Amino acid sequence: MPKKGKQLQTAITKLEKGKVYDLSEAVSLVKSLSYEKFDATVEFAIRLNVDPKKAEQNIRGAMVLPNGTGKTQVVLVFAKGPKAKEALDAGADFVGDDEMVKKIQSGWMDFDVIVATPDMMAEVGKLGRVLGPRGLMPNPKTGTVTMDVTKAVNEIKAGKIEYRNDKVGNVQVSVGKVSFDCSKLEENISALYNKLIKIKPATVKGNYVLNVSISSTMGPGIKLNTETM
């Protein structure tokens, strides 16, 4: 068995089969069971009882985590004139208009998040086939299509994350690094969980949350007791 496979199996043996852990205990475990040599990312995963085929039950949005994600996002802003200058002043890494469209069409992808002013969306729309599958298309629901580029850039740099359900109702989001203090990870996880609870679609019947877990990069999933969040 490859070394990483052995390390994962060893980590799994330290979990009680079938146990649902309180948040504080789960966070301590996710930190102690991380065997990667780098500062691994902590992932939050939640299975929601939503029907993605119904538009009103799709979960999508964005929020700024209380303690950030531990990752510095590279931000590209599509804007012209004064808004382009505003984006640069706010700390955007790349700013442009038509020339950026051509650059991306040529294969350039050295950015993590795109912000665009509404007037630029016709141009950005040309990149749908490239950006869409990667989840990089700007969207008003996540605050990335806006005239307030200063706010958008500042929030992204401060640790703004986007969330959306996949085709079976799962939402998976990075909520920090294993190097974070336990209290900071707990605060980020609770904030995201409570946000998702708050936006529960009115048409969902029965249990909204089916299960919740956290894990580190390559590490085992640790199921959470939602009553402790």
Side-chain angles (χ1 to χ4, degrees):
M1 184 182 292
K3 184 178 180 182
K4 283 193 175 180
K6 288 182 179 179
Q7 289 173 317
L8 177 57
Q9 290 303 317
T10 299
I12 290 173
T13 63
K14 295 179 181 179
L15 298 175
E16 292 184 38
K17 191 173 182 179
K19 180 174 179 178
V20 179
Y21 291 86
D22 289 351
L23 178 58
S24 58
E25 189 177 4
V27 167
S28 293
L29 278 168
V30 85
K31 287 166 64 69
S32 65
L33 297 182
S34 177
Y35 54 82
E36 298 296 337
K37 293 181 179 178
F38 55 87
D39 189 9
T41 296
V42 177
E43 296 281 344
F44 171 92
I46 185 169
R47 180 74 180 272
L48 298 173
N49 180 28
V50 295
D51 183 354
K53 293 179 182 178
K54 297 179 180 179
E56 76 278 6
Q57 288 194 20
N58 274 278
I59 304 296
R60 183 171 189 181
M63 66 177 290
V64 179
L65 292 175
N67 303 296
T69 62
K71 178 183 177 182
T72 301
Q73 300 274 52
V74 177
V75 183
L76 164 62
V77 177
F78 282 96
K80 293 181 178 180
K83 286 297 172 182
K85 183 180 184 304
E86 183 182 327
L88 284 170
D89 290 343
D93 300 279
F94 303 101
V95 180
D97 43 62
D98 303 351
E99 79 280 5
M100 284 295 179
V101 173
K102 293 174 183 175
K103 195 172 178 179
I104 292 172
Q105 287 173 332
S106 297
W108 178 74
M109 295 292 291
D110 295 339
F111 51 85
D112 299 306
V113 185
I114 296 178
V115 174
T117 52
D119 59 301
M120 286 301 303
M121 284 307 294
E123 287 298 310
V124 177
K126 297 176 182 177
L127 301 170
R129 289 183 180 179
V130 178
L131 302 178
R134 294 175 171 84
L136 291 170
M137 275 296 287
N139 189 298
K141 290 183 179 179
T142 60
T144 48
V145 177
T146 177
M147 288 300 288
D148 194 347
V149 293
T150 295
K151 179 183 177 183
V153 172
N154 286 341
E155 286 186 343
I156 293 166
K157 291 291 186 179
K160 184 177 184 179
I161 50 96
E162 295 185 13
Y163 52 81
R164 64 185 303 179
N165 61 267
D166 62 17
K167 60 184 179 181
V168 294
N170 294 317
V171 177
Q172 186 167 329
V173 184
S174 298
V175 290
K177 298 284 187 178
V178 293
S179 61
F180 278 26
D181 290 342
C182 287
S183 60
K184 290 185 176 181
L185 282 172
E186 289 175 30
E187 193 175 1
N188 278 358
I189 292 165
S190 292
L192 175 58
Y193 176 76
N194 288 320
K195 175 72 173 181
L196 293 173
I197 294 301
K198 189 176 180 180
I199 60 172
K200 174 186 175 182
T203 54
V204 170
K205 305 300 181 185
N207 291 334
Y208 173 48
V209 177
L210 300 179
N211 57 65
V212 185
S213 66
I214 57 172
S215 63
S216 63
T217 307
M218 304 297 289
I222 301 167
K223 291 186 177 180
L224 293 177
N225 176 1
T226 56
E227 292 181 5
T228 64
M229 298 163 65

